[in-house]
Amino acid sequence: MVWISSISIVVPVYNSEASLPVLIEQLAILLPTFTQQYEVILVNDGSRDGSWQVIEQLAAAQPWVTGINLMRNYGQHNALLCGIRAAHSEIIVTMDDDLQHPPEEIPRLIEHLYANHLDVVYGTPQQEQHGLLRDLASQLTKLMLQSSMGVDTARKVSAFRVFKTQLRDAFTTYRSPYVSIDVLLTWASTRFGALVVRHESRKFGRSQYTFRKLVIHTFNMLTGFSVLPLQLSSYLGFGLAAFGMLVFIYVLGRYLVEGGSVPGFPFIASLIAIFSGVQLFALGIIGEYMARMHYRLMDKPSYTVRDSTDNTP
């Protein structure tokens, strides 16, 4: 087992009052076995149950537990960004609050991180405990992540991550309502890895990531961190322009060979197809540049903190 100087565990919390005490109990046993300094940051993402009251009790009982209460529900990745910025340790671990990520796997992920000289390691579940629609949505999300991240490990991402804290320097000033931690990490490094870990079945409550929410997250991630839709628009415009040109050549050839056609219609139709394609192609190119300006001009906050526990660093 690798011994490290310090570690921060960041956990986004949403309606998990029942599972949090169990998670903290497990971490209290595990963390002292491989590090001397540790902290657990619980970020309450607008829970509608008593999660914040439980966090306050845990923080009062354990000085290494920190609670941050957001003003409203911003989303898992926004809550993670808040916790990551509050971390003070050498290594950051992100994990879910539902006990599906076994804390016992954390040392394995850290060992894989250092042994292979990586900056980020994902704990990829051997088999996810979800339904058919949820699995399909997860695969769609990972496919879009591969386009946005540009790294081979994108298809193996999970919410169970271990990475070096210094990577957050690449997105210190990032302000946007649309957050993807996985994409932001690629702003600092491409040295990603993955390790197959256990994935426990859910013991409390039910997943808050429905098929609909995953699709919305995928769309926001695709339009917020990738120019792929604009590139597809360019390809579509180029294809329509080529199709219109072929129609025009066909109409002209038929006129020269047979000497007649429907008066005016083929010629007008081909011209409309050509110019429509050219317009889409031009809009796609302009959109490429507008997207880059869009990334720089967004200034809506990713989250707002309502309050925190007294032992917040």
Side-chain angles (χ1 to χ4, degrees), residues 30 117 121 180 236:
L30 173 72
H117 306 287
V121 173
S180 174
L236 178 62

Side-chain angles (χ1 to χ4, degrees), residues 10 12 43 45 70 73-84 94 96 122 141 145 149 157-159 161 171 174 176-185 209 214 217 221 225 302-303:
V10 178
V43 184
D45 188 26
L70 301 185
N73 179 255
Y74 287 89
Q76 182 188 49
H77 287 255
N78 299 62
L80 280 172
L81 181 62
C82 176
I84 289 170
T94 68
D96 287 343
Y122 289 101
T141 302
L145 263 176
M149 293 174 63
V157 301
S158 75
R161 314 172 185 82
F171 49 89
Y174 180 80
S176 169
Y178 305 114
V179 179
S180 174
I181 296 299
D182 304 301
V183 177
L184 292 179
L185 290 174
Y209 257 121
L214 277 174
H217 173 66
M221 178 180 57
F225 296 95
S302 305
Y303 56 86

Side-chain angles (χ1 to χ4, degrees), residues 26 73-74 147 229 249 285 299 308:
Q26 293 177 354
N73 179 255
Y74 287 89
S147 170
I249 293 174
I285 294 177
D299 200 33
S308 58

Side-chain angles (χ1 to χ4, degrees), residues 51-287:
S51 294
W52 177 241
Q53 288 71 29
V54 172
I55 292 174
E56 288 183 310
Q57 294 170 6
L58 293 171
Q62 305 287 357
W64 44 272
V65 175
T66 294
I68 300 176
N69 190 25
L70 301 185
M71 293 284 288
R72 63 175 178 83
N73 179 255
Y74 287 89
Q76 182 188 49
H77 287 255
N78 299 62
L80 280 172
L81 181 62
C82 176
I84 289 170
R85 285 175 171 167
H88 287 78
S89 303
E90 170 193 351
I91 293 294
I92 293 177
V93 177
T94 68
M95 59 191 305
D96 287 343
D97 58 353
D98 54 11
L99 303 178
Q100 288 189 289
H101 297 154
E104 297 80 15
E105 298 286 4
I106 294 177
R108 291 185 59 224
L109 295 175
I110 296 175
E111 185 174 1
H112 189 75
L113 181 82
Y114 284 105
N116 295 278
H117 306 287
L118 299 171
D119 292 321
V120 183
V121 173
Y122 289 101
T124 305
Q126 190 169 17
Q127 184 176 5
E128 297 190 27
Q129 307 290 332
H130 302 307
L132 177 61
L133 287 179
R134 171 70 189 275
D135 289 340
L136 289 175
S138 297
Q139 292 302 317
L140 176 63
T141 302
K142 292 176 181 180
L143 183 63
M144 295 302 102
L145 263 176
Q146 190 169 17
S147 170
S148 302
M149 293 174 63
V151 294
D152 295 336
T153 319
R155 297 299 295 274
K156 299 179 181 179
V157 301
S158 75
F160 201 8
R161 314 172 185 82
V162 173
F163 59 91
K164 297 178 180 177
T165 304
Q166 64 193 87
L167 267 65
R168 69 182 178 188
D169 294 341
F171 49 89
T172 301
T173 59
Y174 180 80
R175 285 174 58 89
S176 169
Y178 305 114
V179 179
S180 174
I181 296 299
D182 304 301
V183 177
L184 292 179
L185 290 174
T186 63
W187 290 9
S189 174
T190 56
R191 295 165 66 178
F192 284 61
L195 184 68
V196 176
V197 297
R198 293 194 345 261
H199 189 75
E200 304 289 355
S201 58
R202 180 177 293 275
K203 297 179 177 63
F204 300 95
R206 61 177 184 176
S207 175
Q208 303 298 327
Y209 257 121
T210 61
F211 176 79
R212 175 178 172 273
K213 288 184 178 180
L214 277 174
V215 171
I216 292 175
H217 173 66
T218 301
F219 179 78
N220 289 335
M221 178 180 57
L222 187 61
T223 55
F225 296 95
S226 171
V227 294
L228 181 61
L230 298 171
Q231 291 174 339
L232 292 177
S233 177
S234 298
Y235 298 149
L236 178 62
F238 181 80
L240 289 175
F243 173 75
M245 186 61 67
L246 290 176
V247 171
F248 180 75
I249 293 174
Y250 169 76
V251 171
L252 184 61
R254 183 175 177 181
Y255 175 78
L256 294 175
V257 173
E258 300 181 1
S261 62
V262 178
F265 174 75
F267 182 77
I268 294 176
S270 59
L271 285 181
I272 291 175
I274 292 174
F275 285 109
S276 297
V278 170
Q279 286 176 347
L280 281 175
F281 182 72
L283 285 174
I285 294 177
I286 296 172

